[in-house]
Amino acid sequence: ILIANYFSWSFLFYLNSGELRVVFFDVGQGDAIFIKTPENHHILIDGGPGRVILDKLKQEMPFFYNKIDLVILTHAHYDHVSGLMKVIDVYDVENIISTGAYSNQQLSLEWQKIIKKEGYIEARAGQRVRGDSFYIDTLYPSEDFTNKKVDDLNAVSVISRLVFNSKYSFIFTGDAYTKQEKEVLFYEEMCQREGGIRCDFFPLDSDVLKLSHHGSKTSTADEFLMSVSPSIVVIMVGEGNRYGHPHEEVLQKLQKNGIDIKRTDRDGDIVFTIKK
C-alpha cells in the first residue's frame, strides 16, 4: 500500500509541477534540448549523437512515462538526428516537425524513410505550436524544402522561438549560418515597415539564445545578436572537439556585449526552470 501511494503521489506531482523546464543536454558535440511544460507536454529539439539521449531522457522522465508530444529536428546531420532515431524506436512520439530536406548522407536518407513512415509536419516560417502557457514559433525556413535534396543541411536548419507566459523566451538555431539569421531579420524589418500576418512573431528579443553551430564563426551575425539581445547564451559543444568550437572571435563578441555564457562542455546539462 505504501509503495502504491508513493507512485500515485509521484505521478500527480509529476503531472502538476507548475513550471517550465528547459534542459540543454550535454551530449558532447551535438544538440539535444528537452522542454517540459506545466501542462506536462514533452518536447525534444534534436537528439544529439548516438544513444546518450536515451540516458538523458531517463533523468528527466519517470520510467512509467513513455510519451513525447513533439520532436523537432533542425536538420539531419549526425550530431542532431542520430539520437532522434533511437528516441523514435523507444518512445511514443506523437508529432514530428522537420523540413523534409535531405542530402546524400546515409543518416539523412534514413531519416527521410522514418518521417515518411511516421508522418510529419513540414517546418515552415509562420508556423505556431501552442499550449496553454506557451507557444513555439518557427522563424526559418520560409521556403518549402519537402523532399528536396540540398548540398548543405546546415543552411536549412530550423530556427524556432519558445515563449512562456508571454514573458520568458528562448531561441533555438540549430546550425544555421549568418545568412539564415539575416533572413529572419529581414522579415522582422519588413514587419516594422509594413506589418503583416506573421508580425506577432516579432520582435526577436529573447532571454536565452542557443548559439548556432556550436559557436562556429560561420554563425551569430552581429545584427542577429543585437536583435535577440539575450542575457544568456548557451553553447552546445563537445570538450576538445576537432572543430575548435566555440571560436574565439565569437566568444569575444559575446563577452564584449556582456552576455552570460553557458557551455555544455564545461557546465554539463544546462537547466532553466521557470515557475508558471
Side-chain angles (χ1 to χ4, degrees):
I1 293 173
L2 286 174
I3 292 173
N5 284 337
Y6 169 78
F7 284 118
S8 296
W9 281 106
S10 296
F11 186 67
L12 287 171
F13 178 76
Y14 182 72
L15 290 179
N16 296 282
S17 60
E19 63 186 25
L20 176 76
R21 185 171 174 84
V22 180
V23 185
F24 296 84
F25 286 135
D26 175 16
V27 291
Q29 183 72 8
D31 283 13
I33 303 158
F34 176 78
I35 301 165
K36 178 178 175 291
T37 74
E39 301 84 20
N40 202 41
H41 296 113
H42 296 80
I43 300 165
L44 184 63
I45 303 176
D46 291 340
R51 299 182 60 86
V52 65
I53 185 63
L54 298 180
D55 292 331
K56 293 293 185 178
L57 287 174
K58 287 177 183 177
Q59 298 171 14
E60 294 294 327
M61 299 171 64
F63 71 90
F64 53 78
Y65 205 86
N66 198 47
K67 176 183 173 184
I68 296 179
D69 297 277
L70 175 62
V71 156
I72 300 174
L73 175 68
T74 60
H75 64 296
H77 276 162
Y78 173 77
D79 56 332
H80 295 254
V81 73
S82 176
L84 282 189
M85 295 178 176
K86 310 295 188 297
V87 169
I88 289 173
D89 284 341
V90 173
Y91 286 87
D92 176 17
V93 175
E94 293 285 304
N95 300 282
I96 298 171
I97 291 179
S98 182
T99 63
Y102 70 96
S103 71
N104 280 332
Q105 296 176 354
Q106 185 60 35
L107 275 179
S108 177
L109 296 174
E110 290 178 14
W111 176 252
Q112 285 298 103
K113 292 178 182 178
I114 289 173
I115 60 176
K116 285 180 179 179
K117 177 184 176 183
E118 300 290 333
Y120 73 104
I121 302 165
E122 176 207 343
R124 185 81 75 90
Q127 173 186 77
R128 174 168 287 180
V129 175
R130 184 186 292 278
D132 291 340
S133 63
F134 75 97
Y135 57 85
I136 299 175
D137 289 337
T138 301
L139 305 175
Y140 187 88
S142 55
E143 183 182 340
D144 181 1
F145 285 104
T146 304
N147 294 322
K148 285 189 178 180
K149 182 181 175 183
V150 298
D151 294 327
D152 187 352
L153 289 169
N154 285 346
V156 297
S157 286
V158 176
I159 300 176
S160 57
R161 183 171 182 256
L162 165 68
V163 179
F164 177 62
N165 277 351
S166 301
K167 183 176 181 181
Y168 302 99
S169 50
F170 299 74
I171 288 187
F172 311 104
T173 53
D175 283 354
Y177 297 131
T178 55
K179 181 180 179 181
Q180 287 74 54
E181 294 172 341
K182 289 178 181 179
E183 183 172 330
V184 174
L185 292 180
F186 167 78
Y187 285 107
E188 181 180 30
E189 292 167 2
M190 187 170 65
C191 281
Q192 291 172 351
R193 292 195 310 267
E194 303 173 11
I197 59 173
R198 281 175 45 192
C199 291
D200 60 343
F201 284 31
F202 302 105
L204 293 178
D205 184 73
S206 296
D207 301 286
V208 180
L209 169 65
K210 199 290 296 186
L211 211 65
S212 185
H213 205 185
H214 321 289
S216 170
K217 59 185 177 183
T218 61
S219 308
T220 316
D222 290 338
E223 307 96 307
F224 186 73
L225 190 62
M226 184 178 299
S227 181
V228 176
S229 188
S231 55
I232 299 172
V233 153
V234 174
I235 307 176
M236 305 192 75
V237 64
E239 185 176 0
N241 67 87
R242 62 190 176 94
Y243 307 101
H245 295 158
H247 286 143
E248 185 60 32
E249 61 190 75
V250 176
L251 293 175
Q252 290 178 1
K253 182 188 299 186
L254 299 173
Q255 291 163 356
K256 180 180 177 181
N257 285 276
I259 301 170
D260 186 11
I261 302 171
K262 306 290 184 185
R263 297 172 48 165
T264 55
D265 61 336
R266 296 181 178 178
D267 303 317
D269 294 346
I270 298 166
V271 182
F272 295 87
T273 303
I274 304 169
K275 295 294 183 182
K276 186 173 180 181

